[in-house]
Amino acid sequence: MTDDRRLLRVALEQARAGLAEGGIPIGAALFGPGGELLGAGRNRRVQDDDPATHAETAAFRAAGRRPGGYADTTMVTTLSPCWYCAGLIRQFRIGRVVVGEAATFPGAHRWLSDAGVTVTLLDDGECAALMRRFVREQPDLWNEDIGA
Amino acid sequence: MTDDRRLLRVALEQARAGLAEGGIPIGAALFGPGGELLGAGRNRRVQDDDPATHAETAAFRAAGRRPGGYADTTMVTTLSPCWYCAGLIRQFRIGRVVVGEAATFPGAHRWLSDAGVTVTLLDDGECAALMRRFVREQPDLWNEDIGA
């Protein structure tokens, strides 16, 4: 297993925990330069009735303040980041993003890479299967979460 | 006073409350189509040690879930939205943004208007004075908040 796949497992574990709670199965984790976990989290729309906490937001919050910046950090997310999460990554200059899959939702990869963020797409089958099933079973909830 | 200036006062009140708490003086409020307040909030970096809650995020969270969408809502913020907050506005298709000032931080107005968001800049002296003083007195905290 590559190192990125190992990091993805942490985010995927969050996504599965979210699904088990009746939530939207998207997870994320922020890692430091040595691959150490800084924070992990999952979408909280259903669990906390909170529309403002996507998986990336939750992981970023869990990591806490980092006055030195985020250039040396990697955000790993099971699903391609929406504009809100891409904006977070760009504004805080997170150096790298590892995306589980972009088949069920095509995020702003090009916009991020144009801004200097390294984007790695893993095209992971488990991430995609999880989302595909969720979107099929709860389309209204999914549309609510992406403002569609 | 125009109606937009009246809405701005709600956001400005949040910014002032943030400053009084020792926080970053940026406030925001989300309003419904009839001008009714849906939610208001302020930057929480210092107060909650939370880097993920900017003023717009706080207002959006306070408004709660809105399954019907946000096309008919107006986000009012004392300061021009950074990429993170502009991403929130764009992803959730908030119809209009009223910006107190963009002199101390030039946000993504053009990017938002190109995406169909109506952006109104009020160029408010009080909002600008509040931020100018804060940036002068606490430059490190300010840079931390914008990932600079």
Side-chain angles (χ1 to χ4, degrees):
Chain A
M1 191 171 5
T2 69
D3 199 52
D4 284 349
R5 296 255 168 208
R6 188 181 61 76
L7 302 187
L8 181 63
R9 292 189 71 85
V10 179
L12 192 50
E13 202 171 280
Q14 288 288 329
R16 287 202 192 101
L19 187 70
E21 292 164 348
I24 298 170
I26 306 172
L30 189 70
F31 293 92
E36 73 277 20
L37 180 64
L38 301 176
R42 49 190 180 268
N43 188 297
R44 311 290 312 175
R45 177 174 296 272
V46 172
Q47 296 92 320
D48 300 342
D49 236 0
D50 176 6
T53 301
H54 275 190
E56 294 90 328
T57 332
F60 186 71
R61 178 178 297 124
R65 292 170 64 181
R66 200 165 193 259
Y70 300 87
D72 59 352
T73 67
T74 297
M75 177 68 84
V76 182
T77 174
T78 57
L79 181 65
S80 181
C82 75
W83 285 120
Y84 176 40
C85 298
L88 171 84
I89 291 160
R90 179 165 175 171
Q91 186 63 45
F92 292 104
R93 305 183 194 196
I94 290 171
R96 199 162 89 90
V97 182
V98 173
V99 176
E101 63 107 355
T104 67
F105 181 82
H109 297 202
R110 177 66 181 275
W111 185 75
L112 283 172
S113 59
D114 282 353
V117 180
T118 303
V119 181
T120 303
L121 175 62
L122 296 182
D123 211 4
D124 182 84
E126 276 185 82
C127 291
L130 198 62
M131 275 306 292
R132 211 172 283 124
R133 182 172 171 178
F134 168 72
V135 172
R136 191 175 59 232
E137 291 180 353
Q138 301 202 59
D140 292 347
L141 182 54
W142 174 232
N143 285 330
E144 183 191 320
D145 198 57
I146 51 170
Chain B
M1 192 171 3
T2 68
D3 200 51
D4 283 348
R5 297 256 169 206
R6 188 180 62 75
L7 302 187
L8 181 63
R9 293 188 69 87
V10 179
L12 192 49
E13 202 171 278
Q14 288 288 329
R16 287 203 192 101
L19 186 70
E21 291 164 348
I24 298 171
I26 307 171
L30 189 70
F31 293 92
E36 71 279 20
L37 179 65
L38 300 176
R42 52 190 178 267
N43 188 297
R44 310 292 310 175
R45 177 175 295 273
V46 172
Q47 296 92 321
D48 299 344
D49 237 0
D50 176 5
T53 301
H54 274 190
E56 294 90 329
T57 331
F60 186 72
R61 177 179 298 126
R65 292 171 63 181
R66 201 165 193 259
Y70 300 86
D72 59 353
T73 67
T74 298
M75 177 68 83
V76 182
T77 174
T78 56
L79 182 66
S80 182
C82 75
W83 284 121
Y84 177 39
C85 297
L88 171 85
I89 291 160
R90 179 165 176 172
Q91 187 63 45
F92 291 104
R93 305 184 195 197
I94 290 171
R96 199 161 88 91
V97 183
V98 173
V99 176
E101 63 107 355
T104 66
F105 181 82
H109 297 200
R110 176 67 180 276
W111 185 75
L112 284 172
S113 59
D114 282 352
V117 180
T118 303
V119 180
T120 303
L121 174 62
L122 296 183
D123 211 4
D124 182 82
E126 276 184 81
C127 290
L130 197 62
M131 276 306 292
R132 212 172 283 125
R133 182 172 171 178
F134 168 71
V135 172
R136 192 175 57 231
E137 292 179 352
Q138 302 202 58
D140 291 348
L141 182 55
W142 174 232
N143 284 332
E144 183 190 321
D145 199 57
I146 53 171

